[in-house]
Amino acid sequence: MGKLIYGSSSRELELDDRMLAHVKSIAVMKLRRNESFTISWPRSLETGGGRVTIWVHPSISLQFEFDQEQRPELNRSWLESMMQEANKTGDLAIGREVPEVMPTRPAPASEPRPRKSSA
């Protein structure tokens, strides 16, 4: 279980390394462009339920701590879905992984048949 650590208040969010790797990828892409955004996640029922949202800005410290040294493989479909939602609403919502959509290979082009001349 990795951690996202936000700002000087040391607000920590525990996420599995795979989820954290995807959140990190989106956050880095947006912050490179100097885009501020929010990150939201559901609170557990043990802590009262509901949802937490933090404002992410390039001037605020953001750390990602992973338990595993090996980097998880990223799901491009999930990244695209997360980025589209973050761009549309300004909110990077942490949720379930979307299935990876494998690119379809185009069918091989068939060779054209020679035309019979009508003689």
Side-chain angles (χ1 to χ4, degrees):
M1 197 59 90
K3 292 180 185 172
L4 179 150
I5 304 169
Y6 181 72
S8 60
S9 67
S10 295
R11 172 127 158 108
E12 293 184 7
L13 169 63
E14 287 191 352
L15 296 169
D16 69 70
D17 279 6
R18 183 165 174 76
M19 171 77 75
L20 187 59
H22 286 77
V23 170
K24 175 188 168 210
S25 292
I26 300 298
V28 168
M29 282 188 267
K30 293 193 77 58
L31 292 172
R32 275 189 187 145
R33 294 184 221 154
N34 277 326
E35 296 177 13
S36 299
F37 59 99
T38 60
I39 298 178
S40 297
W41 63 90
R43 287 192 317 195
S44 68
L45 293 176
E46 294 86 34
T47 60
R51 180 170 55 107
V52 176
T53 300
I54 58 173
W55 175 251
V56 180
H57 186 273
S59 67
I60 300 171
S61 171
L62 185 60
Q63 298 176 50
F64 302 90
E65 291 184 4
F66 295 89
D67 280 342
Q68 303 296 317
E69 188 174 328
Q70 184 177 350
R71 295 176 186 213
E73 187 173 327
L74 297 176
N75 173 338
R76 293 210 181 273
S77 299
W78 194 14
L79 285 173
E80 288 173 13
S81 173
M82 292 170 79
M83 184 59 98
Q84 285 176 1
E85 189 64 23
N87 287 339
K88 183 171 67 174
T89 66
D91 185 42
L92 174 54
I94 297 175
R96 294 188 177 164
E97 183 169 356
V98 300
E100 178 120 35
V101 176
M102 301 305 276
T104 57
R105 293 177 27 179
S110 58
E111 294 183 26
R113 293 183 183 177
R115 294 186 180 198
K116 294 182 181 178
S117 59
S118 52

